[in-house]
Amino acid sequence: GQQVMQIPQYQHVQEGEDFTTYCNSSTTLSNIQWYKQRPGGHPVFLIQLVKSGEVKKQKRLTFQFGEAKKNSSLHITATQTTDVGTYFCAGPDRGSTLGRLYFGRGTQLTVWP
Amino acid sequence: DGGITQSPKYLFRKEGQNVTLSCEQNLNHDAMYWYRQDPGQGLRLIYYSQIVNDFQKGDIAEGYSVSREKKESFPLTVTSAQKNPTAFYLCASQRSGAGADTQYFGPGTRLTVL
């Protein structure tokens, strides 16, 4: 079945260092979405990428969608303690106008002050 | 205030008892979802519903049941047949069932079975 894989599972960085998480889909995606879950909280939508090769920025966060629309990345420049949490990518069900999202297992980011 | 509510936040039950988790949304969203989250496992889909009176099994539906009698409500019952029910349960809604829509999550219910 359709799968979305995400690496690494865990990342520990010193405050000020950069961070990147990678997402790969077993199928071509119509779009990819990114969510952030703070410790003890619930996932919150960050952004959606739709176009092949698309790059979007949110302050220190840069999101990319691959040319083949099968992979994506989230890069955080100069991490801060407020970036702590788990970052999930998610892609929709292939071949269906309706349906579920397939979530990656997430990358848990820890930032040491 | 628009949003998704889940209650209770923490729930304790004895082994062998059925328990129902509440999920209500006032966003006028058509689609609703239930996920289970265990440490290191990400989000696993239990059931989803794209329209009232209709729902589909997700990846781990065994031991769970749902109903969707109203657009606003999508309760999840964890039955005694679920072998390891202790987990964090998240409900989400989506404007339509279309894959381009984003999901909005409730605050979750942390279920502990003793």
Side-chain angles (χ1 to χ4, degrees), chain A residues 13-103:
Chain A
V13 300
Q14 195 83 32
E15 190 172 19
E17 292 181 339
D18 292 356
F19 159 79
T20 305
T21 174
Y22 300 91
C23 184
N24 283 284
S25 171
S26 58
T27 62
T28 302
L29 298 171
S30 59
N31 72 85
I32 194 155
Q33 301 173 25
W34 285 91
Y35 294 76
K36 177 183 178 180
Q37 182 177 21
R38 294 183 186 275
H42 58 276
V44 174
F45 172 76
L46 291 177
I47 206 163
Q48 182 186 76
L49 304 172
V50 178
K51 299 176 184 176
S52 170
E54 188 170 14
V55 177
K56 285 189 176 181
K57 292 189 176 183
Q58 289 181 348
K59 297 183 181 178
R60 295 176 294 103
L61 278 62
T62 301
F63 303 84
Q64 292 188 320
F65 199 12
E67 294 290 340
K69 301 184 77 173
K70 293 184 72 174
N71 62 288
S72 181
S73 65
L74 158 60
H75 179 82
I76 302 179
T77 304
T79 54
Q80 299 176 358
T81 54
T82 54
D83 296 323
V84 164
T86 302
Y87 293 84
F88 294 97
C89 61
D93 196 3
R94 184 191 183 193
S96 174
T97 56
L98 299 178
R100 55 175 294 176
L101 288 176
Y102 286 87
F103 282 84

Coordinates of all heavy atoms in Angstrom, one line a residue, chain A residues 13-103:
Chain A
V13 N 19.8 18.7 18.6 CA 20.7 19.7 18.1 C 20.9 20.7 19.2 O 20.1 20.9 20.1 CB 20.2 20.5 16.8 CG1 20.0 19.5 15.7 CG2 18.9 21.2 17.2
Q14 N 22.1 21.4 19.1 CA 22.3 22.6 20.0 C 21.6 23.8 19.4 O 21.5 23.9 18.2 CB 23.8 22.8 20.0 CG 24.3 23.7 21.1 CD 24.5 22.9 22.4 OE1 24.9 21.8 22.4 NE2 24.3 23.6 23.5
E15 N 21.1 24.6 20.3 CA 20.4 25.8 19.8 C 21.3 26.6 18.9 O 22.5 26.8 19.2 CB 20.0 26.7 21.0 CG 19.1 27.8 20.7 CD 18.6 28.5 21.9 OE1 19.2 28.4 23.0 OE2 17.6 29.3 21.8
G16 N 20.8 27.0 17.8 CA 21.6 27.7 16.8 C 22.0 26.9 15.6 O 22.4 27.4 14.6
E17 N 22.0 25.6 15.8 CA 22.3 24.7 14.7 C 21.1 24.5 13.8 O 20.0 24.8 14.1 CB 22.7 23.3 15.2 CG 24.1 23.3 16.0 CD 24.5 21.9 16.5 OE1 23.6 21.1 16.6 OE2 25.7 21.7 16.8
D18 N 21.4 24.1 12.6 CA 20.3 23.8 11.6 C 19.8 22.4 11.8 O 20.4 21.5 12.3 CB 20.9 24.0 10.2 CG 21.2 25.4 9.9 OD1 21.0 26.3 10.7 OD2 21.7 25.7 8.7
F19 N 18.6 22.2 11.2 CA 17.9 20.9 11.3 C 17.2 20.7 10.0 O 16.6 21.6 9.4 CB 16.9 21.0 12.5 CG 15.8 20.0 12.4 CD1 16.0 18.6 12.7 CD2 14.5 20.3 12.0 CE1 15.0 17.7 12.6 CE2 13.5 19.4 11.9 CZ 13.7 18.1 12.2
T20 N 17.2 19.4 9.5 CA 16.5 19.0 8.3 C 15.8 17.7 8.6 O 16.4 16.7 9.1 CB 17.4 18.9 7.1 OG1 18.1 20.2 6.9 CG2 16.6 18.6 5.9
T21 N 14.6 17.6 8.1 CA 13.9 16.3 8.1 C 13.4 16.0 6.7 O 13.1 16.9 5.9 CB 12.7 16.3 9.1 OG1 12.0 15.0 8.9 CG2 11.7 17.4 8.9
Y22 N 13.5 14.7 6.3 CA 13.2 14.3 4.9 C 12.0 13.4 4.9 O 11.8 12.5 5.7 CB 14.4 13.6 4.3 CG 15.7 14.5 4.3 CD1 16.6 14.4 5.4 CD2 16.0 15.3 3.2 CE1 17.7 15.2 5.4 CE2 17.1 16.1 3.2 CZ 18.0 16.0 4.3 OH 19.1 16.8 4.3
C23 N 11.2 13.5 3.8 CA 10.0 12.8 3.6 C 10.0 12.2 2.2 O 10.3 12.9 1.3 CB 8.8 13.7 3.8 SG 7.3 13.0 3.8
N24 N 9.7 10.9 2.2 CA 9.7 10.2 0.9 C 8.4 9.4 0.7 O 8.0 8.6 1.7 CB 10.8 9.3 0.7 CG 12.1 10.0 0.3 OD1 12.3 10.5 -0.8 ND2 13.0 10.2 1.3
S25 N 7.7 9.5 -0.4 CA 6.5 8.8 -0.7 C 6.7 7.7 -1.6 O 7.5 7.8 -2.5 CB 5.4 9.7 -1.2 OG 4.3 9.0 -1.6
S26 N 6.0 6.6 -1.5 CA 6.1 5.5 -2.4 C 5.3 5.8 -3.7 O 5.5 5.1 -4.7 CB 5.5 4.2 -1.8 OG 4.1 4.4 -1.4
T27 N 4.5 6.8 -3.7 CA 3.8 7.2 -4.9 C 3.9 8.7 -5.1 O 4.3 9.5 -4.2 CB 2.3 6.9 -4.7 OG1 1.7 7.6 -3.6 CG2 2.1 5.4 -4.5
T28 N 3.6 9.1 -6.3 CA 3.6 10.5 -6.6 C 2.4 11.2 -5.9 O 1.3 10.6 -5.8 CB 3.4 10.8 -8.2 OG1 4.5 10.1 -8.8 CG2 3.4 12.2 -8.5
L29 N 2.7 12.3 -5.3 CA 1.7 13.0 -4.5 C 1.1 14.2 -5.2 O 1.8 15.0 -5.9 CB 2.3 13.5 -3.2 CG 2.9 12.3 -2.3 CD1 3.6 12.9 -1.1 CD2 1.7 11.5 -1.8
S30 N -0.1 14.5 -5.0 CA -0.8 15.7 -5.6 C -0.3 16.9 -4.7 O -0.3 18.0 -5.2 CB -2.3 15.6 -5.6 OG -2.8 15.4 -4.3
N31 N -0.1 16.7 -3.5 CA 0.4 17.7 -2.6 C 1.1 17.1 -1.4 O 0.9 15.9 -1.1 CB -0.7 18.7 -2.1 CG -1.7 18.0 -1.1 OD1 -1.4 18.0 0.1 ND2 -2.8 17.4 -1.6
I32 N 1.8 17.8 -0.6 CA 2.3 17.3 0.6 C 2.1 18.4 1.7 O 2.2 19.6 1.4 CB 3.8 16.9 0.5 CG1 4.2 16.1 1.7 CG2 4.7 18.2 0.4 CD1 5.4 15.2 1.5
Q33 N 1.8 17.9 2.9 CA 1.5 18.8 4.0 C 2.5 18.5 5.1 O 2.9 17.4 5.3 CB 0.1 18.6 4.5 CG -1.0 18.8 3.4 CD -2.4 18.4 3.8 OE1 -2.7 18.4 5.0 NE2 -3.2 18.1 2.8
W34 N 2.8 19.6 5.9 CA 3.6 19.4 7.1 C 2.9 19.9 8.3 O 2.2 20.9 8.3 CB 4.9 20.3 6.9 CG 5.9 19.6 5.9 CD1 6.0 19.9 4.6 CD2 6.9 18.7 6.2 NE1 7.0 19.1 4.0 CE2 7.6 18.4 5.1 CE3 7.3 18.1 7.4 CZ2 8.7 17.5 5.0 CZ3 8.4 17.2 7.4 CH2 9.1 16.9 6.2
Y35 N 3.1 19.1 9.4 CA 2.4 19.4 10.7 C 3.5 19.4 11.7 O 4.5 18.7 11.7 CB 1.4 18.4 11.0 CG 0.2 18.4 10.1 CD1 0.2 17.8 8.8 CD2 -1.0 18.9 10.5 CE1 -0.8 17.8 8.0 CE2 -2.2 18.9 9.7 CZ -2.0 18.4 8.4 OH -3.1 18.4 7.6
K36 N 3.2 20.2 12.8 CA 4.1 20.2 14.0 C 3.3 19.9 15.2 O 2.2 20.4 15.4 CB 4.8 21.6 14.2 CG 5.6 21.7 15.4 CD 6.2 23.1 15.6 CE 7.0 23.1 16.9 NZ 7.6 24.5 17.1
Q37 N 3.9 19.0 16.0 CA 3.2 18.6 17.3 C 4.2 18.9 18.4 O 5.3 18.4 18.5 CB 2.9 17.1 17.3 CG 2.2 16.7 18.6 CD 1.8 15.2 18.5 OE1 2.3 14.4 17.7 NE2 0.8 14.8 19.3
R38 N 3.8 19.9 19.3 CA 4.6 20.2 20.4 C 4.4 19.1 21.5 O 3.4 18.4 21.5 CB 4.2 21.6 21.0 CG 4.4 22.7 20.1 CD 4.0 24.0 20.8 NE 4.2 25.2 19.9 CZ 5.3 25.9 19.7 NH1 6.4 25.5 20.3 NH2 5.3 26.9 18.9
P39 N 5.4 18.9 22.4 CA 5.3 17.9 23.4 C 4.0 18.1 24.2 O 3.7 19.2 24.7 CB 6.5 18.2 24.3 CG 7.5 18.8 23.3 CD 6.7 19.6 22.4
G40 N 3.3 17.0 24.3 CA 2.0 17.0 25.0 C 0.8 17.6 24.3 O -0.3 17.7 24.8
G41 N 1.1 18.1 23.1 CA 0.1 18.7 22.3 C -0.5 17.9 21.1 O -0.3 16.7 21.1
H42 N -1.1 18.6 20.2 CA -1.7 17.9 19.1 C -1.1 18.5 17.8 O -0.5 19.6 17.8 CB -3.2 18.1 19.0 CG -3.7 19.5 19.0 ND1 -3.8 20.3 20.1 CD2 -4.0 20.3 18.0 CE1 -4.2 21.5 19.8 NE2 -4.3 21.5 18.5
P43 N -1.1 17.7 16.7 CA -0.5 18.2 15.5 C -1.2 19.5 15.0 O -2.5 19.6 15.0 CB -0.7 17.1 14.5 CG -0.9 15.9 15.3 CD -1.6 16.3 16.6
V44 N -0.4 20.4 14.5 CA -0.9 21.7 13.9 C -0.4 21.8 12.5 O 0.8 21.7 12.3 CB -0.5 22.9 14.8 CG1 -1.0 24.2 14.2 CG2 -1.1 22.7 16.2
F45 N -1.2 22.2 11.6 CA -0.9 22.3 10.2 C 0.1 23.5 10.1 O 0.0 24.6 10.6 CB -2.1 22.6 9.4 CG -1.8 23.0 8.0 CD1 -1.5 22.1 7.0 CD2 -2.0 24.3 7.6 CE1 -1.2 22.4 5.7 CE2 -1.7 24.7 6.2 CZ -1.4 23.7 5.3
L46 N 1.2 23.2 9.3 CA 2.2 24.3 9.0 C 2.0 24.8 7.6 O 2.0 26.0 7.4 CB 3.6 23.7 9.2 CG 4.1 23.4 10.6 CD1 5.5 22.8 10.6 CD2 4.0 24.6 11.5
I47 N 2.0 23.9 6.6 CA 2.1 24.4 5.3 C 1.7 23.2 4.3 O 1.8 22.1 4.7 CB 3.5 24.9 4.9 CG1 3.5 25.9 3.8 CG2 4.5 23.7 4.6 CD1 4.8 26.7 3.7
Q48 N 1.3 23.6 3.1 CA 1.0 22.7 2.0 C 1.8 23.1 0.8 O 1.9 24.3 0.4 CB -0.5 22.7 1.7 CG -0.9 21.6 0.7 CD -2.3 21.8 0.3 OE1 -2.7 22.7 -0.4 NE2 -3.1 20.8 0.8
L49 N 2.4 22.1 0.2 CA 3.1 22.3 -1.1 C 2.4 21.5 -2.2 O 2.0 20.4 -2.0 CB 4.6 21.8 -1.0 CG 5.4 22.4 0.1 CD1 6.7 21.7 0.3 CD2 5.6 23.9 -0.1
V50 N 2.3 22.2 -3.3 CA 1.5 21.6 -4.4 C 2.2 21.4 -5.7 O 2.1 20.4 -6.4 CB 0.2 22.4 -4.7 CG1 -0.6 21.8 -5.8 CG2 -0.6 22.6 -3.4
K51 N 3.1 22.3 -6.0 CA 3.8 22.3 -7.3 C 5.1 21.6 -7.3 O 5.8 21.6 -6.3 CB 4.0 23.7 -7.8 CG 2.7 24.6 -8.0 CD 3.1 26.0 -8.4 CE 1.8 26.8 -8.5 NZ 2.2 28.2 -8.8
S52 N 5.4 20.9 -8.4 CA 6.7 20.3 -8.5 C 7.8 21.3 -8.3 O 7.8 22.4 -8.9 CB 6.8 19.7 -9.9 OG 8.1 19.2 -10.2
G53 N 8.8 21.0 -7.5 CA 9.9 21.8 -7.2 C 9.6 23.1 -6.3 O 10.5 23.9 -6.2
E54 N 8.5 23.1 -5.8 CA 8.1 24.3 -5.0 C 8.9 24.4 -3.8 O 9.3 23.5 -3.1 CB 6.6 24.2 -4.6 CG 6.0 25.4 -4.0 CD 4.5 25.3 -3.9 OE1 3.9 24.2 -4.0 OE2 3.8 26.4 -3.6
V55 N 9.2 25.7 -3.4 CA 9.9 26.0 -2.2 C 9.1 27.1 -1.5 O 8.8 28.1 -2.1 CB 11.3 26.5 -2.5 CG1 12.0 26.9 -1.2 CG2 12.2 25.5 -3.2
K56 N 8.9 26.9 -0.2 CA 8.1 27.9 0.5 C 8.9 28.2 1.8 O 9.5 27.3 2.4 CB 6.7 27.5 0.9 CG 5.8 27.5 -0.3 CD 4.3 27.3 0.2 CE 3.3 27.4 -0.9 NZ 1.9 27.2 -0.5
K57 N 8.9 29.4 2.3 CA 9.5 29.8 3.5 C 8.6 30.4 4.5 O 7.7 31.1 4.2 CB 10.7 30.8 3.2 CG 11.8 30.2 2.4 CD 13.0 31.1 2.4 CE 14.2 30.5 1.6 NZ 15.4 31.3 1.6
Q58 N 8.8 30.0 5.8 CA 8.1 30.6 6.9 C 9.2 31.0 7.9 O 9.6 30.2 8.7 CB 7.1 29.7 7.5 CG 5.9 29.3 6.7 CD 5.0 28.4 7.5 OE1 5.3 27.8 8.5 NE2 3.8 28.2 6.9
K59 N 9.6 32.2 7.9 CA 10.7 32.7 8.7 C 11.9 31.8 8.6 O 12.5 31.8 7.6 CB 10.1 32.8 10.2 CG 9.0 33.8 10.3 CD 8.6 33.9 11.8 CE 7.4 34.9 11.9 NZ 6.9 35.0 13.3
R60 N 12.2 31.1 9.6 CA 13.4 30.3 9.6 C 13.2 28.9 9.0 O 14.1 28.1 8.9 CB 14.0 30.1 11.0 CG 14.5 31.4 11.6 CD 15.0 31.2 13.1 NE 13.9 30.9 13.9 CZ 13.6 29.7 14.4 NH1 14.4 28.6 14.0 NH2 12.6 29.4 15.2
L61 N 11.9 28.6 8.6 CA 11.6 27.3 8.1 C 11.5 27.3 6.6 O 10.9 28.2 6.0 CB 10.2 26.8 8.7 CG 10.2 26.2 10.0 CD1 10.7 27.1 11.1 CD2 8.8 25.7 10.3
T62 N 12.2 26.4 5.9 CA 12.1 26.3 4.5 C 11.6 24.9 4.1 O 12.1 23.9 4.5 CB 13.5 26.5 3.8 OG1 14.0 27.8 4.2 CG2 13.4 26.4 2.3
F63 N 10.6 24.9 3.3 CA 9.9 23.6 2.8 C 10.2 23.5 1.3 O 10.0 24.4 0.6 CB 8.4 23.7 3.1 CG 8.0 23.9 4.5 CD1 8.0 25.2 5.0 CD2 7.7 22.9 5.4 CE1 7.6 25.5 6.3 CE2 7.4 23.1 6.7 CZ 7.3 24.4 7.2
Q64 N 10.5 22.2 0.9 CA 10.7 22.0 -0.5 C 9.9 20.7 -0.9 O 9.7 19.8 -0.1 CB 12.2 21.7 -0.8 CG 13.1 22.9 -0.6 CD 14.5 22.6 -1.0 OE1 15.0 21.5 -0.8 NE2 15.1 23.6 -1.7
F65 N 9.4 20.8 -2.1 CA 8.7 19.7 -2.7 C 9.5 19.2 -3.9 O 9.8 20.1 -4.8 CB 7.3 20.1 -3.1 CG 6.3 19.0 -3.4 CD1 6.6 17.7 -2.9 CD2 5.1 19.2 -3.9 CE1 5.6 16.6 -3.1 CE2 4.1 18.2 -4.1 CZ 4.4 16.9 -3.7
G66 N 9.8 18.0 -4.0 CA 10.7 17.5 -5.1 C 10.1 17.6 -6.5 O 8.9 17.7 -6.6
E67 N 11.0 17.6 -7.4 CA 10.6 17.7 -8.8 C 9.6 16.6 -9.2 O 8.7 16.8 -10.0 CB 11.8 17.7 -9.7 CG 12.8 18.9 -9.6 CD 12.2 20.2 -10.1 OE1 11.2 20.1 -10.9 OE2 12.6 21.3 -9.7
A68 N 9.9 15.4 -8.7 CA 9.0 14.2 -9.1 C 7.8 14.2 -8.2 O 7.0 13.2 -8.3 CB 9.8 13.0 -9.0
K69 N 7.7 15.1 -7.2 CA 6.5 15.1 -6.3 C 6.4 13.8 -5.5 O 5.3 13.3 -5.2 CB 5.2 15.4 -7.0 CG 5.3 16.8 -7.8 CD 3.9 17.1 -8.4 CE 2.9 17.6 -7.4 NZ 1.7 18.1 -8.1
K70 N 7.6 13.3 -5.2 CA 7.6 12.1 -4.3 C 8.4 12.3 -3.0 O 8.4 11.4 -2.2 CB 8.2 10.9 -5.1 CG 7.4 10.4 -6.2 CD 8.0 9.2 -6.9 CE 7.8 7.9 -6.0 NZ 8.2 6.7 -6.7
N71 N 9.1 13.4 -2.9 CA 9.8 13.7 -1.7 C 9.7 15.2 -1.3 O 9.4 16.0 -2.2 CB 11.3 13.3 -1.9 CG 12.0 14.1 -3.0 OD1 11.7 13.9 -4.2 ND2 12.8 15.0 -2.6
S72 N 10.0 15.4 -0.1 CA 9.9 16.7 0.5 C 10.9 16.9 1.6 O 11.4 15.9 2.2 CB 8.5 17.0 0.9 OG 8.4 18.3 1.5
S73 N 11.2 18.1 2.0 CA 12.1 18.3 3.1 C 11.6 19.6 3.9 O 11.0 20.5 3.3 CB 13.5 18.5 2.7 OG 13.7 19.6 1.9
L74 N 12.0 19.6 5.1 CA 11.8 20.8 6.0 C 13.1 21.1 6.6 O 13.7 20.2 7.2 CB 10.7 20.4 7.1 CG 10.7 21.3 8.3 CD1 10.5 22.8 8.0 CD2 9.7 20.8 9.3
H75 N 13.6 22.3 6.4 CA 14.8 22.8 7.0 C 14.6 23.9 7.9 O 13.9 24.9 7.5 CB 15.8 23.2 5.8 CG 17.1 23.7 6.3 ND1 18.1 22.8 6.6 CD2 17.5 24.9 6.5 CE1 19.2 23.5 7.0 NE2 18.9 24.8 6.9
I76 N 15.1 23.8 9.1 CA 15.1 24.9 10.0 C 16.5 25.5 10.2 O 17.4 24.8 10.6 CB 14.5 24.5 11.4 CG1 13.1 23.9 11.2 CG2 14.4 25.7 12.3 CD1 12.5 23.4 12.5
T77 N 16.6 26.8 10.0 CA 17.9 27.5 10.1 C 18.0 28.0 11.6 O 17.0 28.6 12.1 CB 18.0 28.6 9.1 OG1 17.8 28.1 7.8 CG2 19.3 29.4 9.2
A78 N 19.1 27.8 12.2 CA 19.4 28.4 13.5 C 18.3 28.1 14.5 O 17.5 28.9 14.9 CB 19.6 29.9 13.4
T79 N 18.2 26.8 14.8 CA 17.1 26.3 15.7 C 17.0 27.1 17.0 O 18.0 27.6 17.5 CB 17.2 24.8 16.0 OG1 18.5 24.6 16.6 CG2 17.0 24.0 14.8
Q80 N 15.8 27.2 17.5 CA 15.5 27.8 18.8 C 14.8 26.8 19.7 O 14.2 25.8 19.1 CB 14.7 29.1 18.6 CG 15.4 30.1 17.8 CD 14.5 31.4 17.6 OE1 13.4 31.4 18.0 NE2 15.1 32.3 16.9
T81 N 14.8 27.0 21.0 CA 14.1 26.1 21.8 C 12.6 26.0 21.5 O 11.9 25.0 21.8 CB 14.3 26.4 23.3 OG1 13.9 27.8 23.5 CG2 15.7 26.3 23.7
T82 N 12.0 27.0 20.9 CA 10.6 27.0 20.5 C 10.4 26.1 19.4 O 9.2 25.8 19.1 CB 10.2 28.4 20.2 OG1 11.0 28.9 19.2 CG2 10.1 29.3 21.4
D83 N 11.4 25.6 18.7 CA 11.2 24.6 17.6 C 11.0 23.2 18.0 O 10.7 22.3 17.2 CB 12.4 24.7 16.7 CG 12.6 26.1 16.0 OD1 11.6 26.7 15.7 OD2 13.8 26.5 15.8
V84 N 11.2 22.9 19.3 CA 11.1 21.6 19.9 C 9.7 21.0 19.5 O 8.7 21.7 19.6 CB 11.3 21.6 21.4 CG1 10.8 20.3 22.0 CG2 12.8 21.8 21.7
G85 N 9.7 19.7 19.1 CA 8.5 19.1 18.8 C 8.7 18.0 17.8 O 9.8 17.7 17.4
T86 N 7.6 17.4 17.3 CA 7.7 16.4 16.3 C 7.1 16.9 15.0 O 6.0 17.5 15.0 CB 6.9 15.1 16.7 OG1 7.5 14.6 18.0 CG2 7.0 14.0 15.7
Y87 N 7.8 16.8 13.9 CA 7.4 17.3 12.6 C 6.9 16.1 11.8 O 7.7 15.2 11.6 CB 8.5 18.1 12.0 CG 8.9 19.3 12.7 CD1 9.7 19.3 13.8 CD2 8.3 20.5 12.4 CE1 10.0 20.5 14.5 CE2 8.6 21.7 13.1 CZ 9.5 21.6 14.2 OH 9.7 22.8 14.9
F88 N 5.7 16.2 11.3 CA 5.2 15.2 10.4 C 5.0 15.7 9.0 O 4.5 16.8 8.8 CB 3.8 14.7 10.9 CG 3.8 14.0 12.3 CD1 3.5 14.8 13.4 CD2 4.1 12.7 12.4 CE1 3.5 14.1 14.7 CE2 4.0 12.1 13.6 CZ 3.8 12.8 14.7
C89 N 5.2 14.9 8.0 CA 4.8 15.1 6.7 C 3.6 14.2 6.4 O 3.4 13.2 7.0 CB 5.9 14.9 5.6 SG 6.5 13.2 5.6
A90 N 2.8 14.6 5.4 CA 1.6 13.8 5.1 C 1.2 14.0 3.7 O 1.2 15.2 3.2 CB 0.4 14.2 6.0
G91 N 0.8 12.9 3.0 CA 0.4 13.0 1.6 C -1.0 12.4 1.5 O -1.3 11.4 2.2
P92 N -1.8 12.9 0.5 CA -3.1 12.3 0.3 C -3.1 10.9 -0.4 O -2.2 10.6 -1.0 CB -3.8 13.4 -0.5 CG -2.7 14.0 -1.3 CD -1.5 14.0 -0.4
D93 N -4.2 10.3 -0.3 CA -4.5 9.0 -0.9 C -4.4 9.2 -2.4 O -5.1 10.0 -3.0 CB -5.9 8.5 -0.5 CG -6.1 7.1 -0.7 OD1 -5.1 6.4 -1.2 OD2 -7.2 6.6 -0.5
R94 N -3.5 8.4 -3.0 CA -3.3 8.4 -4.4 C -4.6 7.9 -5.1 O -5.2 6.9 -4.8 CB -2.1 7.6 -4.8 CG -1.8 7.8 -6.3 CD -0.8 6.8 -6.8 NE -0.5 7.0 -8.2 CZ 0.2 6.2 -8.9 NH1 0.7 5.0 -8.4 NH2 0.5 6.4 -10.2
G95 N -4.9 8.6 -6.2 CA -6.0 8.0 -7.1 C -7.4 8.2 -6.5 O -8.3 7.6 -7.0
S96 N -7.5 9.0 -5.6 CA -8.8 9.3 -5.0 C -9.0 10.7 -4.8 O -8.2 11.4 -4.2 CB -8.9 8.5 -3.7 OG -10.2 8.8 -3.0
T97 N -10.2 11.2 -5.2 CA -10.5 12.6 -4.9 C -10.9 12.8 -3.4 O -10.9 13.9 -2.9 CB -11.6 13.1 -5.8 OG1 -12.8 12.3 -5.6 CG2 -11.2 13.1 -7.3
L98 N -11.3 11.7 -2.8 CA -11.6 11.8 -1.4 C -10.6 10.9 -0.7 O -10.0 10.0 -1.2 CB -13.0 11.2 -1.2 CG -14.2 11.9 -1.9 CD1 -15.5 11.2 -1.6 CD2 -14.3 13.4 -1.5
G99 N -10.5 11.2 0.6 CA -9.8 10.2 1.3 C -8.9 10.8 2.4 O -8.9 11.9 2.8
R100 N -8.1 9.9 2.9 CA -7.3 10.1 4.0 C -5.9 10.7 3.6 O -5.6 10.8 2.5 CB -7.0 8.7 4.6 CG -6.5 7.7 3.5 CD -6.1 6.4 4.1 NE -5.0 6.5 5.0 CZ -4.5 5.5 5.7 NH1 -5.1 4.3 5.6 NH2 -3.5 5.6 6.5
L101 N -5.2 11.1 4.7 CA -3.8 11.5 4.5 C -3.0 10.3 5.1 O -3.3 9.7 6.0 CB -3.5 12.7 5.4 CG -4.1 14.0 4.9 CD1 -3.7 15.1 5.9 CD2 -3.5 14.4 3.5
Y102 N -1.8 10.1 4.4 CA -0.8 9.2 4.9 C 0.3 10.0 5.6 O 0.9 10.8 4.9 CB -0.3 8.3 3.8 CG -1.2 7.3 3.2 CD1 -2.2 7.6 2.2 CD2 -1.2 6.0 3.7 CE1 -3.0 6.7 1.8 CE2 -2.1 5.0 3.3 CZ -3.0 5.4 2.3 OH -3.9 4.4 1.8
F103 N 0.4 9.7 6.9 CA 1.4 10.5 7.7 C 2.7 9.7 7.7 O 2.7 8.5 7.9 CB 0.9 10.7 9.1 CG -0.1 11.8 9.2 CD1 -1.4 11.6 8.9 CD2 0.3 13.1 9.5 CE1 -2.3 12.7 9.0 CE2 -0.6 14.2 9.6 CZ -1.9 13.9 9.4

